Amino acid sequence: MNKANILVTGGLGYIGSHTSVELINNSYNVTIIDSLINSEKFILERIEKITGKKIPFYEFDITNYKKTSECFKENNFDFVIHFAALKSVNESVKYPDKYMKNNLDSLKNILKCIESQNLSGIVFSSSCTVYGQPDNLPVNENSPFKKPESPYAETKQICEKLIEKFSDEKRKHGISLRYFNPVGAHNSSLIGELPRGIPDNLIPYITQSAIGKRKKLKVFGKDYNTSDGTPVRDYIHVVDLANAHVQALNRLIEKKSKKFYEFFNVGTGKGHSVLEVIKSFEKVNNIKLPYEIVSRREGDIEKIYSDTNLSRNELNWKAERNLDEMMKSAWKWEKTLKDLGS
Ligand code: NAD
Ligand code: WQD
């Protein structure tokens, strides 16, 4: 049975590729647009290999309105899942204008096309960074947006507000999914995270240190007010996260939305410290990880983890995979990358 036609922007990226697989597994028709600014073309063949489906692909930058609108006219999309964005917090501090332009202009173009081609709605990649360091934990969806800690976080806050206004004014449906810390890889090890250069994020730094690409992991601070002094995050397996998008689309299609604009946390609800992550990685993969404790990283918050009630009750979604499974799949993926010579 064929379901709706879904445009997946940024579909060759880390989360977009895993989501495209799960969408196809759930009988959705997927078309991908990606500029390859932070991804590789071979990922398309990998998605096709996993799913056994040929996927229509467009390579261009969505900040180009003419190309974006031509693509919408050529196709008969029902919904958009909008992943395409730049995502490095560090880089956004150095190049705030680049982040504002890419992340806001791409969304504005998508919204214009949704209106002109009369699509039904959009699912948007938001982030727990919209909350900053929340006052109460676990953080639920009623927590206010705090002053953004980076231009990247600011783009996510602005994008959510743009979608809310658009949805209410144009009577289109929008869902923002606020991801916590996505990690891990598909169990085929055909797709996974492909960090360029030195990774900022914890898990790729761990796997690259374990394989010898980096000398050792630096643990940023052991003087936080947490059980072992290292910061706490809600790590979520990327395949679980991908499935949250399938549920968001199902909600839109089954007309279960309670408002034109809705937003949900997507996390496991469990917080893990950096040292707990390292221990899990060492245990499940039987590896001694080289690491040292260094001073805090500027801009890091102490702890955050999600309240999952709303996503469980309304999206009918919950995370299935635990930290050990995340660490196993991340390591399997890193070893596959080594075999590829990358
Ligand atoms: P990614 O960089 O792997 O994927 C993004 C994809 O979008 C890339 O393939 C890139 O080439 C493409 N892209 C970027 N700008 C584009 C443009 N203007 N036109 C066309 N293609 C463009 O990142 P990801 O980790 O898969 O993240 C996907 C989304 O989820 C992003 O919006 C990101 O901000 C958000 N998010 C990510 C995380 C995370 O930790 N990975 C957490 C919260 C939210
Ligand atoms: C996790 C923990 C570090 C690297 C970022 C973005 C956020 C979201 C996910 C997009 C922290 C510690 C890290 C290292 C370390 N992305 N760490 N040594 O900072 O929670 O969130 O990615 O929306 O917006 O801000 O993730 O993986 O960088 O860090 O000790 O080499 O690991 O201090 O406590 P973060 P992270």
Side-chain angles (χ1 to χ4, degrees):
M1 184 193 67
N2 273 338
K3 285 201 200 161
N5 295 326
I6 314 300
L7 169 62
V8 179
T9 75
L12 297 192
Y14 175 42
I15 306 168
S17 56
H18 289 80
T19 302
S20 296
V21 167
E22 297 308 316
L23 288 171
I24 293 167
N25 286 345
N26 283 276
S27 309
Y28 283 107
N29 300 312
V30 167
T31 299
I32 290 176
I33 305 178
D34 202 304
S35 65
L36 304 183
I37 189 171
N38 197 37
S39 53
E40 304 292 335
K41 182 76 183 291
F42 76 83
I43 294 295
L44 181 66
E45 290 143 38
R46 299 289 185 88
I47 302 171
E48 292 179 338
K49 190 165 177 195
I50 296 170
T51 59
K53 277 262 156 68
K54 191 94 193 108
I55 298 166
F57 173 66
Y58 291 81
E59 182 184 333
F60 65 82
D61 186 324
I62 298 164
T63 61
N64 181 323
Y65 178 69
K66 191 166 170 278
K67 286 190 179 161
T68 308
S69 115
E70 277 164 13
C71 174
F72 272 74
K73 282 180 195 151
E74 271 172 32
N75 289 278
N76 190 19
F77 302 132
D78 297 302
F79 294 93
V80 181
I81 306 188
H82 184 49
F83 292 102
L86 296 172
K87 66 160 175 179
S88 160
V89 170
N90 266 347
E91 196 193 35
S92 80
V93 174
K94 276 192 219 135
Y95 308 109
D97 295 346
K98 177 178 165 190
Y99 270 65
M100 288 295 162
K101 182 171 170 21
N102 189 70
N103 294 2
L104 301 189
D105 288 1
S106 58
L107 175 68
K108 286 177 189 165
N109 286 345
I110 292 292
L111 294 179
K112 261 202 233 170
C113 293
I114 287 178
E115 186 184 4
S116 63
Q117 297 302 310
N118 200 20
L119 273 70
S120 303
I122 180 169
V123 176
F124 175 67
S125 296
S126 188
S127 161
C128 65
T129 49
V130 297
Y131 297 121
Q133 173 65 70
D135 296 328
N136 299 307
L137 289 173
V139 57
N140 70 33
E141 287 83 350
N142 296 324
S143 307
F145 284 3
K146 288 278 187 71
K147 183 176 174 302
E149 283 168 17
S150 66
Y152 168 77
E154 193 176 0
T155 68
K156 291 296 173 194
Q157 292 184 346
I158 299 172
C159 284
E160 280 209 32
K161 286 178 193 154
L162 285 173
I163 298 170
E164 179 172 23
K165 187 166 181 285
F166 173 84
S167 308
D168 289 342
E169 282 179 10
K170 311 291 177 196
R171 306 178 73 76
K172 299 276 181 198
H173 285 102
I175 292 183
S176 288
L177 298 179
R178 294 176 180 164
Y179 317 156
F180 281 66
N181 286 51
V183 300
H186 194 259
N187 65 9
S188 63
S189 284
L190 285 168
I191 53 174
E193 193 170 2
L194 283 174
R196 287 185 172 160
I198 302 172
D200 284 337
N201 296 120
L202 180 61
I203 308 311
Y205 212 105
I206 288 180
T207 55
Q208 291 194 5
S209 304
I211 210 137
K213 268 192 209 165
R214 311 275 153 221
K215 216 164 128 228
K216 58 169 90 152
L217 170 75
K218 294 184 184 68
V219 174
F220 298 133
K222 200 176 177 299
D223 56 352
Y224 287 93
N225 183 24
T226 59
S227 59
D228 59 24
T230 62
V232 167
R233 299 286 184 274
D234 184 343
Y235 297 94
I236 164 127
H237 196 296
V238 66
V239 175
D240 281 332
L241 173 56
N243 278 311
H245 296 79
V246 175
Q247 288 304 95
L249 270 183
N250 291 346
R251 181 175 178 82
L252 295 179
I253 287 169
E254 290 160 15
K255 302 199 184 310
K256 288 190 174 152
S257 303
K258 293 189 171 150
K259 288 186 281 186
F260 281 110
Y261 178 62
E262 296 183 313
F263 43 92
F264 300 97
N265 285 344
V266 187
T268 63
K270 291 193 186 71
H272 291 288
S273 73
V274 176
L275 291 180
E276 281 169 5
V277 172
I278 293 173
K279 273 191 202 118
S280 163
F281 180 83
E282 292 188 322
K283 179 189 74 183
V284 296
N285 298 313
N286 199 19
I287 285 173
K288 186 91 198 87
L289 184 77
Y291 73 89
E292 62 180 334
I293 310 285
V294 301
S295 49
R296 289 181 179 204
R297 178 172 72 176
E298 207 186 318
D300 269 346
I301 59 168
E302 187 163 87
K303 47 184 158 189
I304 187 163
Y305 50 96
S306 62
D307 182 324
T308 57
N309 281 310
L310 194 67
S311 48
R312 194 164 347 102
N313 297 335
E314 291 294 326
L315 271 190
N316 198 17
W317 171 90
K318 74 174 173 44
E320 306 283 347
R321 294 158 182 83
N322 64 22
L323 185 64
D324 287 351
E325 288 165 285
M326 300 178 211
M327 293 305 114
K328 247 191 225 168
S329 72
W331 179 231
K332 201 170 144 202
W333 168 243
E334 185 68 58
K335 285 189 292 185
T336 317
L337 285 178
K338 190 181 181 200
D339 295 341
L340 270 176
S342 37

